[in-house]
Amino acid sequence: MSTPRPPTALRSCPQAASLLLVLLGGLSGCDRKLARPTVPATTARPPDAVQLFNGRDLTGWKACQFGGDGDVAVIDGELELAIGRPLTGVVWQGEKLPVTGYRLTLEAQRVAGIDFFCCFTFPVGEAHCSLVVGGWAGTVVGLSCINGADASDNPTTRNMAFNNGQWYRIEVEVTDHDIIASIDSAEVFRQPRTGHEFTVRTDVRRNLPMGVSTFECTARIRDLQLVRLSADGESP
């Protein structure tokens, strides 16, 4: 298609003619397909981070098979856990994990539903524990369980708002002294280990030794990584 010429009245005014040509050129291309919006960039990965999810398939993972599970699939580089009745989840099948002196991070979003979109289970010494994000109808964050008390009823219990369709960066750090949870780089709680018993709820035991599960909602997970820490809590 040839470029349209400006009307005669505008040929004596080059600036106006140029502006008209730009506008006409833009209109001639308005039937082009719009570009797909870009996904916000994730936080920069530490150089020593081990990627636990490759974004292509379930290598190193398997569906938990709680009973009543939704589908588990990799879509657009993200792990989708479809709504379950009530639970859907995946469990780690790869190499042995550290039990202390490590940091686990992932990005998660609740696509649909109103309950927890990330129950992140992990080792704590010889025991295990779960970080619940968005539980009890959508707002509770906390550890399950401490001395037998759920995430909704122990010193780590917090109430936070979460929007469907929004990514949240979730981090759990386990040291010899504490379990530290952060969301979007802001510390949520720091729970001492000494003198406390850590367990998981019976209904998520299929997430052991490490896994992620959801409750009556669809969620997406990406950028799941592990960093080993030195004695002072920093990566080597």
Side-chain angles (χ1 to χ4, degrees), residues 47-231:
D48 51 352
V50 177
Q51 292 299 310
L52 302 179
F53 170 56
N54 64 24
R56 299 184 301 274
D57 53 40
L58 290 175
T59 297
W61 299 88
K62 75 171 184 179
C64 287
Q65 299 179 341
F66 293 112
D69 309 53
D71 292 335
V72 174
V74 178
I75 301 173
D76 296 333
E78 300 159 4
L79 177 62
E80 182 174 275
L81 306 177
I83 189 168
R85 302 295 183 200
L87 296 165
T88 301
V90 290
V91 59
W92 177 244
Q93 298 289 287
E95 64 183 49
K96 188 174 180 179
L97 299 166
V99 298
T100 192
Y102 70 90
R103 181 186 301 121
L104 286 167
T105 61
L106 60 75
E107 292 188 355
Q109 71 163 270
R110 184 169 52 208
V111 177
I114 61 169
D115 218 286
F116 68 70
F117 59 101
C118 180
C119 178
F120 198 0
T121 298
F122 52 91
V124 182
E126 298 303 312
H128 296 83
C129 199
S130 302
L131 171 63
V132 178
V133 180
W136 283 263
T139 62
V140 170
V141 176
L143 289 178
S144 277
C145 304
I146 303 175
N147 303 325
D150 280 337
S152 62
D153 191 27
N154 65 52
T156 65
T157 305
R158 303 289 186 273
N159 285 285
M160 302 176 65
F162 298 98
N163 299 319
N164 285 11
Q166 179 174 335
W167 287 103
Y168 296 92
R169 189 160 188 83
I170 299 164
E171 178 179 292
V172 173
E173 186 173 307
V174 179
T175 72
D176 291 342
H177 307 288
D178 301 291
I179 301 172
I180 306 158
S182 301
I183 297 178
D184 289 343
S185 300
E187 185 173 305
V188 178
F189 60 76
R190 182 180 295 255
Q191 170 62 41
R193 288 179 57 182
T194 302
H196 299 285
E197 179 185 21
F198 298 96
T199 56
V200 299
R201 288 174 58 107
T202 302
D203 43 4
V204 297
R205 289 191 62 82
R206 288 183 178 271
N207 273 141
L208 300 180
M210 181 187 71
V212 184
S213 57
T214 64
F215 187 94
E216 292 188 351
C217 71
T218 296
R220 285 202 172 190
I221 307 295
R222 68 184 184 188
D223 200 29
L224 204 162
Q225 57 183 262
L226 165 74
V227 174
R228 295 176 184 269
L229 304 175
S230 61

